[in-house]
Structures are given as structure tokens and as C-alpha cells.
Amino acid sequence: MSTPKVFISYSHDSQKHKQWVLQLATRLRNNGVDAALDQWDLSPGDDLPHFMEQNLTSCDYALMICTQNYVSKANNGTGGVGYEKMILTADLLSRIDSRKVIPIIRQDGGSDVPTFLKTKLYIDFSHSQDFEFSFDELVRTIHQAPLFKKPDIGNNPFKEVNIEDQDRSNDGIHDIMVAIIKWYENGHDYVEYSNLKRVIPTSRILLDLNLKKAAKAGLIDHSQEYIYLEDKGKHYAIEHGIVEN
């Protein structure tokens, strides 16, 4: 997999904020992310709009560091002198693939984002004590390595099973039928539940459920204390090779 590239968009609110962004970008690069940042990619005389647009179109993710000042400038399309006048406006940001924009909240007691990003999930970096957790979430997102993997969908536990159409060589019903038919072949007309429980290597709950399934399929009669083999169960024994034809 190629190294993911991110572009960091932020407002020059203060030297302290610029230092925080620089440290974030450095940590990202130390964790396998090619982070583009004006503080090391630009020199005096370089074209700021070109730098921003070029990186926005080529990056895998764009990180929007949403301070109150950044949000205000993005919504109003305004700014002060120097770099802040070139802050990315909503018009510019709305022209890129919105799926790769990750809002980063960096505010005191708030979670505002530019208007056109209101529907997007953000990562909150407002609390310094939670920085490592937030950073881990960010890096996992960029590397597409989520902490939790969506599990596969299992079988419907309430779906009716057609015994005749499926191979039961490895399920609980087959084990039950093998035990019951063994008793029947040895001259017993019925099996006591307690005896069956001793020879079936499963929990009582699972045994009860499988007995109900076998009874519903017409293989056994389990309406009383004893378990009887039905004619359909005898056919099952032959069809599944439990006894020879």
C-alpha cells in the first residue's frame, strides 16, 4: 500500500496554535503519513493559493483544523493580512471530494465546523489529556486500519431448516440421531433424556434446542419424558449412512 498523503489546512491564530499544528504534522509523518504543511513546504515568495489547491486535489485526506477563527473565516470567506487572507474558503473546499475531508476540532468548549462540513463526523482534539486517543483514531482513519472490524453476518437462528435438503454430518441433530439410532438398533424402543445427555458432548441448552428441531422435522417424538424414533427418523438413518441399507 502506498504512503497516504494528507494536507493540513489551518488558520494562523497564534504562535502557540502554529506550534501545535506543527507537532501534529510531525507526529503524522513519524507514523507513516506524508503530511503536507506550509511551515516546511513553503518559502517566502511562494504562491499560497497554488500550494493549497495543488495539495487539496492530490491528497488522500484533507485535515481541517477547526478553531473558532478558522470556522469564521471559512464561513465568511474573509481574512486579515498575509497568510490569513489566503485561508481556504467554503467555495474552494466544496470543490474537492468531500469524503476525504476530516474536520479536526481544536476549540475551547465548542465543536463548530464550517457550514458545509456540518454533516461530517469530526475528531475532537480539544482536550490535551485525550490527545493520544484522538491521534490514534486519526492515524487509523488515514491508514484505513479501524480498531474494530465489522463482523460477518451469521445464520438466522429462527430460519426453518429443511433436514432432507442439507447435509447434517456435522451438526447437533446428526449427533442426536446417531445416539438414538444406536439405542434403537440395540433393541430399545425409546431413550431417556438423562441417558442421551450423558453421551452427547454439548450443553443442556443446545441439546434441548436440537431435540426440538429434530422433533419439529418429524425425526423423533419428544412429547413426553422419553424420546422415540419416528419412521422419518429411520429414513434419516439410512439416507445419512448411520445404518447400512
Side-chain angles (χ1 to χ4, degrees), residues 194-211:
S194 58
N195 289 332
L196 186 62
K197 178 66 180 72
R198 282 197 292 268
V199 299
I200 300 296
T202 186
S203 68
R204 180 178 178 180
I205 291 176
L206 190 56
L207 175 61
D208 289 348
L209 291 174
N210 286 326
L211 281 171

Side-chain angles (χ1 to χ4, degrees), residues 60-230:
D60 297 299
Y61 293 97
L63 309 184
M64 308 303 177
I65 313 298
C66 297
T67 59
Q68 286 92 340
N69 189 39
Y70 182 98
V71 173
S72 176
K73 290 179 180 295
N75 285 338
N76 299 326
T78 60
V81 296
Y83 178 85
E84 291 188 356
K85 188 174 182 180
M86 299 298 181
I87 188 67
L88 298 177
T89 65
D91 176 66
L92 174 58
L93 293 178
S94 64
R95 285 190 274 118
I96 69 170
D97 184 355
S98 63
R99 291 176 298 179
K100 68 180 183 181
V101 176
I102 303 177
I104 302 295
I105 302 299
R106 181 67 179 165
Q107 301 168 15
D108 295 325
S111 57
D112 290 336
V113 297
T115 301
F116 65 98
L117 295 179
K118 287 290 186 183
T119 60
K120 300 186 70 65
L121 291 176
Y122 58 77
I123 300 178
D124 194 349
F125 275 85
S126 296
H127 307 289
S128 57
Q129 67 271 22
D130 296 329
F131 180 89
E132 295 301 329
F133 294 101
S134 301
F135 184 78
D136 180 75
E137 181 180 3
L138 175 60
V139 174
R140 286 182 176 278
T141 300
I142 295 171
H143 282 294
Q144 298 181 18
L147 182 61
F148 301 105
K149 181 181 178 181
K150 189 174 183 179
D152 295 332
I153 299 176
N155 295 325
N156 181 350
F158 305 106
K159 183 179 180 180
E160 185 173 349
V161 178
N162 188 332
I163 298 296
E164 295 181 343
D165 292 343
Q166 296 192 22
D167 181 10
R168 292 292 178 177
S169 60
N170 294 314
D171 66 10
I173 293 178
H174 185 269
D175 293 340
I176 289 173
M177 295 305 296
V178 169
I180 294 174
I181 291 165
K182 182 178 180 181
W183 256 290
Y184 188 84
E185 289 291 290
N186 287 331
H188 301 282
D189 291 332
Y190 60 84
V191 181
E192 293 186 28
Y193 176 87
S194 58
N195 289 332
L196 186 62
K197 178 66 180 72
R198 282 197 292 268
V199 299
I200 300 296
T202 186
S203 68
R204 180 178 178 180
I205 291 176
L206 190 56
L207 175 61
D208 289 348
L209 291 174
N210 286 326
L211 281 171
K212 287 184 178 180
K213 290 180 181 179
K216 185 176 181 180
L219 303 178
I220 61 173
D221 178 4
H222 185 37
S223 58
Q224 301 178 12
E225 179 181 355
Y226 303 115
I227 304 165
Y228 293 87
L229 183 65
E230 298 282 26

